[in-house]
């Protein structure tokens, strides 16, 4: 089968198409023919040199989620899985490939009426976003600032917060991304690439959902009112937002971070199933900005790193 391999850490050009043996399902596993492969920003960081901290040592096939059809099952797996449309959920390894070996505990059935590309676009961000919203709680009338609102998860968080009855302040970079988040229901839209952007937020916020980190996250955190809540889960700017926990405690601010979004397999499948059901019912829309042939994974990573993608980028085997 065809796959993408990283033989050494480095730039996007290290994503090289290769031919590798087809995977064979072992006990408790299935093999899925991938029809759409999810991509997330952290995969560019893993490829660039962060692999060891995530357990990826070269050479490796990158990727952590995909959607497709089960084409074979392990010796102890019920045959009823054959032919089923599924998501290979977060924690699956080596999904930048035509065929993916998936543990049963990572499988999420795709509901009727939902396309596999849409399902793949929800594979990571649907799980994380649903868990984030459940954990932080968003109440009607609250002012919610979403940093990185035009990203794959940001677009889902905008929709979730709007549905919860919040006043959504969406922070995104550039006119195209601002228009996207406005179309998703954000009532206030600001460009955090412009000087003085925090002044246009319109005052304190009850909830901060920070998917960016760094200096932008620090500026956004200063807007959280005493007694508010903040999820500091993003680091595409190079690091998570640094916050003094003691200072936050004195202000009564509840802090959540990336550690609160590391879910066990059974929670991943629960959250993933909820996100897929919401999408199938038309209440949640993943924004698929661009698709790339699997062999052009390097081009996808370049576009992600250049912040060119408003929504999700998918790889199509």
């Amino acid at each position: 089968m065809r796959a993408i391999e990283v033989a050494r850490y480095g730039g996007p050009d290290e994503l090289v198409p290769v031919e590798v043996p087809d995977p064979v399902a072992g006990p408790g596993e299935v093999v899925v023919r991938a029809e759409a492969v999810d991509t997330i920003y952290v995969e560019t960081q893993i490829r660039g040199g962060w692999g060891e901290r995530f357990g990826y040592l070269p050479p490796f096939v990158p990727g952590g989620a995909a959607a497709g059809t089960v084409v074979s099952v392990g010796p102890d797996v019920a045959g009823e899985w054959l032919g089923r449309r599924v998501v290979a959920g977060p924690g699956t390894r080596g999904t930048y490939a035509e065929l993916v070996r998936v543990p049963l505990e990572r499988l999420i059935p795709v509901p009727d009426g939902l396309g596999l590309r849409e399902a793949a676009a929800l594979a990571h961000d649907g799980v994380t976003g649903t868990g984030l919203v459940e954990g932080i709680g968003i109440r009607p009338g609250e002012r919610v600032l979403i940093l990185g609102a035009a990203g794959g998860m940001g677009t889902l968080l905008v929709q979730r917060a709007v549905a919860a009855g919040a006043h959504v302040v969406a922070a995104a970079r550039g006119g195209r991304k601002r228009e996207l988040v406005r179309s998703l229901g954000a009532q206030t839209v600001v460009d955090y690439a412009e000087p003085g952007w925090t002044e246009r937020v319109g005052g304190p916020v009850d909830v901060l959902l920070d998917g960016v980190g760094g200096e932008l996250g620090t500026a956004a955190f200063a807007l959280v009112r005493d007694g508010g809540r903040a999820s500091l889960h993003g680091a595409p700017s190079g690091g998570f937002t640094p916050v003094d926990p003691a200072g936050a405690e004195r202000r009564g601010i509840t802090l959540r971070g990336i550690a609160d979004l590391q879910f066990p397999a059974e929670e991943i499948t629960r959250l993933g199933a909820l996100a897929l059901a919401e999408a199938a019912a038309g209440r949640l829309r993943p924004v698929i900005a661009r698709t790339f042939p699997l062999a052009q994974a390097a081009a996808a990573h370049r576009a992600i790193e250049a912040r060119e993608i408003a929504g999700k980028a998918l790889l199509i085997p």
Side-chain angles (χ1 to χ4, degrees), residues 26-96:
E29 297 177 333
V30 305
V31 171
V32 171
R33 182 173 299 282
E35 296 187 37
V37 178
D38 191 18
T39 63
I40 56 176
Y41 188 86
V42 74
E43 289 166 358
T44 71
Q45 296 171 309
I46 290 171
R47 182 218 70 232
W50 284 20
E52 190 168 352
R53 71 180 69 178
F54 290 93
Y56 286 90
L57 298 177
F60 63 89
V61 175
T69 304
V70 176
V71 293
S72 66
V73 300
D76 60 342
V77 177
E80 63 189 26
W81 280 104
L82 282 170
R84 293 191 70 177
R85 301 186 319 139
V86 296
V87 166
T92 305
R93 292 294 183 111
T95 62
Y96 282 26

Side-chain angles (χ1 to χ4, degrees), residues 44-287:
T44 71
Q45 296 171 309
I46 290 171
R47 182 218 70 232
W50 284 20
E52 190 168 352
R53 71 180 69 178
F54 290 93
Y56 286 90
L57 298 177
F60 63 89
V61 175
T69 304
V70 176
V71 293
S72 66
V73 300
D76 60 342
V77 177
E80 63 189 26
W81 280 104
L82 282 170
R84 293 191 70 177
R85 301 186 319 139
V86 296
V87 166
T92 305
R93 292 294 183 111
T95 62
Y96 282 26
E98 293 178 312
L99 297 170
V100 181
R101 192 172 65 219
V102 189
L104 275 178
E105 63 180 8
R106 303 282 174 182
L107 282 182
I108 309 170
V110 176
D112 292 340
L114 185 65
L116 285 173
R117 293 190 180 189
E118 288 72 22
L122 291 165
H124 279 108
D125 295 329
V127 169
T128 307
T130 301
L132 190 159
V133 169
E134 282 189 358
I136 203 150
I138 297 174
R139 297 185 283 270
E142 290 190 313
R143 301 188 78 244
V144 178
L145 171 57
I146 301 174
L147 208 59
M153 188 164 73
T155 54
L156 301 180
L157 293 177
V158 169
Q159 295 174 68
R160 294 282 197 181
V162 168
H167 178 101
V168 176
V169 183
R173 185 190 304 269
R176 182 166 55 95
K177 293 182 178 181
R178 293 199 308 272
E179 287 304 312
L180 170 61
V181 295
R182 189 174 285 112
S183 74
L184 296 174
Q187 293 95 332
T188 301
V189 179
V190 298
D191 191 328
Y192 53 54
E194 297 177 353
W197 68 270
T198 55
E199 299 171 8
R200 291 186 286 278
V201 168
V205 298
D206 300 287
V207 178
L208 167 63
L209 305 180
D210 173 13
V212 175
E215 293 182 3
L216 291 170
T218 299
F221 185 76
L223 297 172
V224 180
R225 67 167 180 82
D226 291 357
R229 305 177 310 282
S231 175
L232 312 177
H233 54 269
S237 60
F240 295 104
T241 297
V243 170
D244 173 24
E249 184 176 5
R250 284 192 298 271
R251 295 181 55 201
I253 296 175
T254 300
L255 292 178
R256 295 177 65 85
I258 193 65
D260 296 295
L261 301 175
Q262 306 307 301
F263 303 115
E266 62 271 17
E267 189 69 351
I268 285 173
T269 54
R270 182 187 74 84
L271 294 168
L274 286 174
L276 295 180
E278 287 292 292
R283 293 186 293 267
L284 189 65
R285 178 172 69 88
V287 178

Side-chain angles (χ1 to χ4, degrees), residues 281-302:
R283 293 186 293 267
L284 189 65
R285 178 172 69 88
V287 178
I288 300 172
R290 292 182 65 182
T291 61
F292 297 81
L294 178 66
Q296 294 179 20
H301 275 219
R302 288 191 197 95

